[in-house]
């Protein structure tokens, strides 16, 4: 591919820039998430974007769509010995979190509640709400047995959705299922494969291939012609033993007591191989085919599968792009942040004193935007109004000579302009901050 020297370059298809003021919505969402996560005792973890390819092959499964079709995997440059590492951009983060726990012996002193934010990568056809670089928030509760932690994770998700402004039953709904343990799944798998073989002529090529590699995914079909067949297939819930049933009933009892509504969906599966027992999804009808906004479950076998000691674990993931689309669709649209004040400086000679005063305001917690360069008072007031600031701080020659600044309200025409002393900034800075909190 030839390029001219000064040819403008563009982002990779499906990997998007997030510019102001849109980025402010992302910051708002992250802040909401952190507030809820910290109340439940979760701590932040950050892992590399690039991981060994084998981590995802072992953790996710060789016959999943992610590994077979979507993962960005490559061979790194060879070292001086001619050896090249096989690396991949992370398509999800649970496997990376588990790798970090094992590598650093981080579960040696007991269980951990962790959360993460970050970009993931899957090479698929970009579409609205589904991109090649996408962003997720996820939580992992590692080292905890029992249905109480499953229920707590679901309650956390429910709390987060509620505080984002989404109404259960109107904007989202919760679906639950139990995948049981490996032996129960094997018994169900044998019955399911036998059933699917009887209906092989109905299945498309992809479903016929999955019939032997991942038959549960065949039941997750969106093809209307296959719904009746899928509904009549053997149900995993009928193959659960006493312990798995008790675990699932324990989760349900807590959710019932907390008033969290849900539907049991026997066909609910997760796209990754490492899940067992409780699985769940929050689904919306507002985004067309992109209906799942949050999903997760228990994955007790993954840590051992990746080389650690047998350790229980449960968690979920939530996509930023899809969540922001849903919030916009239902009318939850946080406004862009605005400065508390806009500094208007008619004369450059006063800049040293002005900038010292502005630094004092910022040190007191006031956000101030200073007009760049010199222009007319009319132009500066126009920019001040357009900025959304609640006050204009006018540092005119007369005001500065008197050691003062004129504080002019911009959002309340009836409010009077006042003069404030420059040597007592902290005394009146609180007024500006309070106006921001009240807005």
């Amino acid at each position: 591919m030839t390029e001219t020297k000064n040819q403008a370059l563009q982002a990779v298809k499906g990997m998007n820039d997030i510019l102001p003021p849109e980025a402010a919505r992302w910051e708002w969402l992250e802040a909401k998430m952190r507030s809820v996560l910290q109340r439940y005792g979760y701590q932040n973890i950050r892992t590399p974007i690039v991981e060994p390819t084998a981590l995802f092959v072992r953790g996710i499964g060789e016959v999943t769509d992610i590994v077979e079709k979507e993962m960005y995997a490559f061979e790194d440059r060879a070292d001086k010995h001619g050896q090249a590492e096989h690396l991949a951009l992370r398509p999800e983060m649970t496997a990376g979190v588990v790798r970090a726990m094992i590598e650093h012996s981080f579960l040696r002193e007991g269980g951990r509640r962790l959360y993460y934010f970050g970009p993931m990568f899957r090479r698929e056809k970009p579409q609205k709400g589904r991109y090649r670089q996408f962003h997720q928030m996820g939580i992992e509760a590692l080292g905890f047995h029992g249905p109480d932690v499953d229920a707590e994770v679901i309650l956390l998700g429910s709390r987060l959705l509620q505080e984002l402004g989404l109404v259960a039953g109107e904007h989202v709904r919760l679906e639950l299922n139990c995948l049981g343990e490996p032996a129960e799944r094997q018994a169900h798998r044998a019955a399911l494969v036998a059933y699917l073989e009887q209906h092989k002529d109905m299945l498309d090529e992809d479903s016929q291939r999955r019939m032997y590699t991942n038959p549960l995914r065949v039941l997750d079909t969106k093809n209307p012609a296959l719904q009746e067949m899928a509904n009549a297939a053997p149900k995993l819930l009928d193959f659960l033993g006493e312990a798995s049933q008790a675990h699932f009933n324990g989760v349900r009892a807590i959710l019932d007591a907390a008033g969290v509504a849900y539907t049991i969906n026997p066909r609910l599966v997760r796209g990754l191989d490492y899940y067992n027992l409780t699985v769940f999804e929050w689904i919306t009808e507002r985004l067309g085919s992109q209906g799942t906004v949050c999903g997760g479950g228990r994955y007790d076998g993954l840590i051992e599968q990746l080389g650690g000691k047998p350790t229980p674990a449960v968690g979920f993931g939530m996509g930023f792009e899809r969540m922001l689309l849903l919030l916009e669709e239902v009318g939850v649209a946080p406004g862009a942040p605005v400065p508390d004040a806009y500094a208007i400086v008619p004369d450059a000679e006063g800049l040293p004193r002005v900038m010292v005063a502005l630094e004092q305001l910022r040190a007191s917690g006031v956000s101030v935007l200073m007009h760049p360069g010199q222009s007319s008072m009319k132009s500066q007031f126009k920019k001040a109004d357009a900025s959304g600031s609640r006050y204009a701080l006018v540092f005119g020659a007369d005001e500065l000579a008197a050691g003062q600044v004129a504080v002019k309200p911009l959002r309340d025409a009836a409010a009077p302009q006042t003069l404030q002393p420059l040597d007592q900034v902290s005394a009146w800075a609180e007024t500006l901050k309070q106006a921001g909190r009240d807005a």
Side-chain angles (χ1 to χ4, degrees):
M1 177 178 171
T2 59
E3 296 177 351
T4 61
K5 184 176 180 180
N6 296 323
Q7 181 179 351
L9 299 175
Q10 294 184 328
V12 176
K13 186 177 182 180
M15 299 185 181
N16 303 318
D17 299 311
I18 303 165
L19 307 176
E22 175 65 16
R25 297 182 66 224
W26 288 64
E27 291 182 319
W28 171 85
L29 180 58
E30 290 168 359
K32 286 282 190 179
M33 290 174 170
R34 285 194 181 93
S35 173
V36 174
L37 292 163
Q38 289 167 359
R39 276 179 265 161
Y40 284 77
Y42 280 75
Q43 298 176 306
N44 184 235
I45 182 172
R46 306 181 187 214
T47 64
I49 288 173
V50 177
E51 296 273 12
T53 302
L55 173 67
F56 302 112
V57 173
R58 289 170 59 186
I60 297 174
E62 286 189 82
V63 296
T64 58
D65 282 352
I66 295 173
V67 170
E68 287 186 329
K69 302 176 182 179
E70 300 170 1
M71 192 162 63
Y72 281 96
F74 59 96
E75 187 176 282
D76 199 7
R77 294 178 181 177
D79 60 20
K80 63 181 180 180
H81 303 294
Q83 301 297 314
E85 290 184 284
H86 293 271
L87 305 175
L89 300 181
R90 63 189 186 197
E92 59 89 43
M93 200 160 154
T94 298
V97 170
V98 170
R99 189 267 312 147
M101 296 297 99
I102 298 169
E103 182 175 340
H104 301 286
S105 302
F106 211 59
L107 300 176
R108 183 169 47 199
E109 297 180 1
R112 300 279 185 168
R113 289 176 168 89
L114 305 172
Y115 78 88
Y116 58 83
F117 299 153
M120 315 295 161
F121 303 84
R122 297 187 189 180
R123 196 184 190 288
E124 52 186 342
K125 183 179 179 181
Q127 51 188 296
K128 190 174 183 180
R130 190 168 186 166
Y131 306 108
R132 289 176 173 176
Q133 176 176 311
F134 59 100
H135 300 76
Q136 279 193 337
M137 179 277 277
I139 68 170
E140 315 292 352
L142 306 148
F144 304 107
H145 287 285
D148 54 329
V149 180
D150 296 22
E152 181 189 78
V153 165
I154 296 171
L155 290 171
L156 187 160
S158 182
R159 170 65 53 197
L160 175 57
L161 294 172
Q162 180 180 332
E163 296 201 8
L164 289 175
L166 299 173
V167 178
E170 179 181 350
H171 302 140
V172 291
R173 71 176 190 277
L174 174 62
E175 293 188 351
L176 296 182
N177 193 19
C178 181
L179 300 182
E181 298 291 5
E184 295 157 357
R185 288 203 302 278
Q186 283 298 109
H188 172 253
R189 176 193 174 96
L192 180 56
V193 170
Y195 174 82
L196 293 174
E197 285 177 334
Q198 296 173 17
H199 299 83
K200 189 173 183 178
D201 293 343
M202 299 177 60
L203 304 179
D204 58 27
E205 182 179 346
D206 196 43
S207 294
Q208 289 187 19
R209 177 181 59 83
R210 282 177 165 173
M211 180 171 65
Y212 298 105
T213 59
N214 199 351
L216 277 175
R217 295 295 289 169
V218 178
L219 301 184
D220 198 29
T221 177
K222 301 297 187 293
N223 186 344
L226 299 180
Q227 295 303 310
E228 185 175 345
M229 180 277 297
N231 287 334
K235 294 177 174 55
L236 179 53
L237 290 173
D238 295 332
F239 289 78
L240 298 183
E242 185 176 338
S244 294
Q245 284 281 8
H247 186 100
F248 194 42
N249 290 339
V251 174
R252 294 178 59 193
I254 295 171
L255 297 182
D256 290 340
V260 175
Y262 59 86
T263 301
I264 297 176
N265 179 0
R267 288 169 50 189
L268 175 61
V269 296
R270 302 298 304 143
L272 305 177
D273 285 353
Y274 48 62
Y275 286 97
N276 70 309
L277 291 174
T278 312
V279 291
F280 53 89
E281 288 185 357
W282 276 274
I283 297 171
T284 183
E285 308 296 336
R286 303 295 187 99
L287 298 178
S289 61
Q290 305 298 317
T292 300
V293 294
C294 179
R298 181 164 281 279
Y299 54 95
D300 291 343
L302 180 61
I303 297 178
E304 183 178 16
Q305 185 176 320
L306 293 179
K309 295 180 179 179
T311 307
V314 59
F316 69 65
M318 178 183 292
F320 275 67
E321 288 88 349
R322 206 172 293 182
M323 179 54 64
L324 288 167
L325 281 175
L326 177 58
L327 293 173
E328 183 178 10
E329 176 68 24
V330 302
V332 177
V338 298
D340 297 317
Y342 191 100
I344 293 175
V345 189
D347 188 346
E349 290 184 8
L351 278 174
R353 292 182 67 192
V354 169
M355 295 187 74
V356 168
L358 298 187
E359 287 304 297
Q360 291 174 335
L361 282 170
R362 290 164 181 149
S364 298
V366 179
S367 60
V368 187
L369 186 62
M370 190 181 82
H371 186 83
Q374 299 300 298
S375 58
S376 69
M377 289 281 282
K378 181 179 179 181
S379 174
Q380 292 194 47
F381 267 108
K382 188 174 181 180
K383 290 288 182 66
D385 190 58
S387 74
S389 299
R390 300 172 184 92
Y391 292 92
L393 305 179
V394 185
F395 294 89
D398 292 342
E399 287 85 2
L400 288 175
Q404 297 175 324
V405 58
V407 180
K408 179 177 177 57
L410 295 175
R411 308 298 152 200
D412 184 356
Q417 176 175 298
T418 61
L419 292 172
Q420 299 294 347
L422 288 179
D423 59 356
Q424 298 178 32
V425 165
S426 60
W428 51 272
E430 188 62 32
T431 301
L432 303 186
K433 289 191 294 182
Q434 186 62 46
R437 288 193 290 264
D438 293 344

